[in-house]
Amino acid sequence: MKYRLYQIALIFVFFLAETVLVPLIRVSGNGPELLLLLPVFFGFFGGPVDGIFAGLLAGILADVYGGTLLGTSAFLFVCFGFLSGKLLENVEQEEFFFPMMLTFVSAFLYECAMWFILFVLHNRIDAEFFFTRKILPISLYTLVAGIALYFPVRAFDRKMREAYGTGEKRNAKNLS
């Protein structure tokens, strides 16, 4: 239970960072999707259940703050958290390339899905513009943010898992 409180606190810290700091560092109106990092990271660190939990909470916050169709981000974040946990459950915790690759792919797919939902369904199909000006830059910014935040989040997550434990086999197997 204490570990879940740590997850909730970290999600709110990332939410505050996305709402307060990201607008200050936007380039051409684009910035990283910080909340998207957490389902991927927690899925990798703790397995699909942790990824789903982080994805649901982060997705609801993203939906409420972003003003999109309620549940869209939550559904996508849950999918990314689950897939991160499943795809990376046989990857060593020390691996860096695979979670970063999954971070980029998740951001790319998220932005494509949001473009489809918000624009294509409203007959605004300028795909080249959105790909070059929105989808690709946001995916790259999210990857850069993921690279910068991966090691601090991983170190803090390990300390919390050692202090409070989570009872998942993945954690016991890969913490040593």
Side-chain angles (χ1 to χ4, degrees), residues 15-157:
F15 174 71
L16 287 174
E18 187 163 323
T19 57
V20 175
L21 298 178
V22 168
L24 301 174
I25 61 169
R26 290 192 186 277
V27 177
S28 298
N30 299 320
E33 295 282 348
L34 295 181
L35 287 174
L36 179 61
L37 296 174
L38 292 174
V40 175
F41 287 175
F42 281 123
F44 179 61
F45 298 151
V49 174
D50 283 352
I52 289 170
F53 179 78
L56 182 63
L57 186 57
I60 289 171
L61 288 173
D63 283 334
V64 170
Y65 177 71
T68 61
L69 185 63
L70 191 60
T72 306
S73 295
F75 173 73
L76 292 170
F77 284 17
V78 164
C79 290
F80 296 142
F82 175 77
L83 289 174
S84 175
K86 277 301 191 188
L87 292 175
L88 299 175
E89 69 186 353
N90 294 325
V91 175
E92 289 295 322
Q93 286 282 322
E94 303 305 318
E95 186 64 48
F96 179 71
F97 175 74
F98 290 113
M100 291 304 104
M101 182 178 66
L102 193 57
T103 297
F104 177 78
V105 169
S106 296
F108 184 82
L109 292 176
Y110 174 73
E111 292 302 324
C112 286
M114 295 309 279
W115 168 72
F116 183 80
I117 291 167
L118 298 175
F119 295 105
V120 172
L121 295 179
H122 294 99
N123 287 330
R124 291 189 265 172
I125 309 179
D126 192 359
E128 181 182 352
F129 172 80
F130 283 104
F131 181 77
T132 58
R133 301 282 174 101
K134 291 289 183 191
I135 296 172
L136 193 57
I138 291 173
S139 301
L140 290 172
Y141 294 152
T142 304
L143 175 63
V144 170
I147 291 169
L149 294 170
Y150 177 76
F151 290 109
V153 171
R154 185 180 76 175
F156 193 62
D157 186 71

Side-chain angles (χ1 to χ4, degrees), residues 158-169:
R158 282 187 176 179
K159 286 182 183 180
M160 292 297 112
R161 286 183 192 279
E162 289 171 358
Y164 302 119
T166 60
E168 291 189 30
K169 292 178 184 174

